Amino acid sequence: MKLTKSHVVFSLFLLIIDYFGVSAFCVSSVTKTHCGQHVAKVKRRSTTLGGDSSSGRGDNGQRKRADAVLAAELITSSSDSVTPPREVSVGFIGCGTIASAIATGLSKQQTFPERITAMTVSKRSEKNSQYLKDTLPGIITIEEDNQKILDTSDIVFLCVLPQQEKDVLSTLNFQGDKHTLVSVVATSKLDQLAINSGLPRENIFKMICLPPVAELEGTCLLVPKGNKQLKSLFESLGGCVECESEKIMNALMIPGCLMGPMYGILKNNRDWLVQQGVPAEDASFFVGRQYLGIIRDAERNCLDPQHFDQLIAEQTPGGLNEQVSFPAFVE
């Protein structure tokens, strides 16, 4: 293995932190256990070959040479034992709000075990594609030809309008041994996607998410279930719920359709406060933060199916919150 300057610097760093008793701060792709074992090995053999560095005994030059040789051994042994991550490229046919959000989130996430080497997006919408290229230089490539997006991508997101789906797919040449197609079109049907794309059914998926995935705070719906790569990819965007069937996904999509009404509630709250004389900036800040706290309280134990019921039940008897609760929500 060729020893580079970065290897030497990293090796010296490990020796220094070990000398000061902080070898727990091992970094890079070397595991803590593996790193700790080799740092200890370097220290023991350095002492044996070059003298006791802690007491100042032994020839200083000999000790330095021994440290350098054993540090190089540390790097070589560690590098040989680490398997490089699998590489994957991602493409987006259509570049609207959701495509932009997914691409932005993928550029920020740090938990997907595979390395995303490139993301290629359609020129349309040009405003979105250019924004992505400007904010993610070196990661985003813009293509006008959808076939070129396929040719450079392993995972392909279909992000077009429902009425465009059939025409777009029918003009593309997918490769069954290369491409995984993920449609984010709300009305897509898996069987129809397979027919229009010519891909095997096992290469076809549908995913639904909302714009917060850009900040790794979304929850993606995925059908069919069982693809570990895609589940891991979407979990890196904030979370993933695998659906047993398209029918289950359709049901889970309904709460997502309440995003607009939710924002409408916030707006109405803000406007009412402004009408009462509250400065607009204070009203907007208060409403946003107040609802954020409420939502976080609901999300904290959301794996418990009874949690929402408990939050309703804990409202102070006779208090304002209980009095304004909708009868349908209270048994």
Side-chain angles (χ1 to χ4, degrees):
M1 174 180 175
K2 185 178 180 181
L3 190 63
T4 66
K5 182 178 179 181
S6 62
H7 288 154
V8 175
V9 172
F10 179 66
S11 303
L12 293 176
F13 170 72
L14 292 175
L15 290 169
I16 291 170
I17 63 175
D18 181 67
Y19 177 81
F20 285 103
V22 288
S23 59
F25 292 109
C26 293
V27 293
S28 188
S29 58
V30 184
T31 64
K32 289 186 178 180
T33 300
H34 191 71
C35 180
Q37 291 172 346
H38 284 278
V39 169
K41 179 180 178 182
V42 169
K43 184 177 180 181
R44 287 196 304 270
R45 291 191 48 195
S46 175
T47 300
T48 301
L49 297 177
D52 186 348
S53 59
S54 62
S55 64
R57 295 192 300 271
D59 177 75
N60 189 50
Q62 183 182 5
R63 185 170 63 251
K64 287 182 178 179
R65 287 192 296 274
D67 284 352
V69 171
L70 292 170
E73 180 184 327
L74 165 65
I75 291 297
T76 303
S77 176
S78 299
S79 299
D80 291 342
S81 65
V82 176
T83 302
R86 175 184 175 185
E87 295 184 347
V88 63
S89 54
V90 178
F92 296 86
I93 298 178
C95 192
T97 300
I98 294 299
S100 299
I102 296 171
T104 300
L106 291 180
S107 72
K108 295 178 180 179
Q109 62 78 30
Q110 297 182 355
T111 60
F112 184 51
E114 302 177 30
R115 187 169 76 89
I116 299 177
T117 57
M119 287 192 282
T120 308
V121 302
S122 295
K123 185 174 182 180
R124 297 179 61 184
S125 159
E126 189 168 357
K127 177 182 177 181
N128 292 331
S129 61
Q130 191 60 51
Y131 174 80
L132 287 173
K133 187 172 184 179
D134 291 342
T135 55
L136 303 173
I139 300 177
I140 297 294
T141 300
I142 300 175
E143 283 288 356
E144 291 193 54
D145 186 344
N146 288 334
Q147 185 59 49
K148 290 184 179 180
I149 296 176
L150 257 67
D151 295 342
T152 58
S153 304
D154 302 309
I155 300 175
V156 181
F157 287 92
L158 181 66
C159 313
V160 299
L161 296 174
Q163 60 268 29
Q164 298 172 327
E165 179 181 291
K166 181 178 180 180
D167 290 341
V168 169
L169 289 178
S170 61
T171 62
L172 299 174
N173 296 316
F174 287 90
Q175 300 176 35
D177 59 347
K178 172 181 175 63
H179 293 123
T180 296
L181 176 63
V182 181
S183 175
V184 300
V185 181
T187 58
S188 287
K189 302 297 181 184
L190 295 174
D191 288 339
Q192 198 60 46
L193 288 170
I195 293 172
N196 293 334
S197 67
L199 282 171
R201 186 64 164 69
E202 58 267 24
N203 293 35
I204 304 290
F205 297 86
K206 179 178 176 180
M207 190 273 278
I208 297 295
C209 66
L210 295 177
V213 295
E215 302 301 326
L216 310 183
E217 295 182 348
T219 302
C220 305
L221 302 176
L222 176 64
V223 70
K225 64 187 303 184
N227 186 293
K228 294 181 179 180
Q229 181 191 42
L230 291 182
K231 182 181 180 182
S232 178
L233 182 71
F234 298 142
E235 283 181 338
S236 76
L237 297 177
C240 178
V241 174
E242 293 184 292
C243 304
E244 292 285 351
S245 64
E246 290 177 270
K247 180 180 178 181
I248 294 296
M249 171 176 271
N250 289 338
L252 286 166
M253 286 170 59
I254 300 303
C257 296
L258 299 178
M259 179 175 64
M262 179 67 180
Y263 294 149
I265 291 174
L266 300 181
K267 177 182 180 298
N268 288 340
N269 277 220
R270 180 206 63 198
D271 292 348
W272 183 85
L273 289 173
V274 171
Q275 292 171 8
Q276 307 312 306
V278 179
E281 184 176 312
D282 290 345
S284 182
F285 175 80
F286 175 76
V287 170
R289 296 292 299 180
Q290 188 84 331
Y291 275 84
L292 175 61
I294 294 171
I295 292 300
R296 282 180 172 170
D297 201 17
E299 188 268 344
R300 191 167 294 115
N301 296 311
C302 60
L303 285 175
D304 178 3
Q306 303 302 316
H307 182 54
F308 300 153
D309 304 83
Q310 294 166 358
L311 290 175
I312 294 173
E314 73 180 21
Q315 304 304 308
T316 303
L320 294 177
N321 275 289
E322 185 189 57
Q323 292 181 45
V324 300
S325 294
F326 296 131
F329 296 158
V330 180
E331 293 182 0

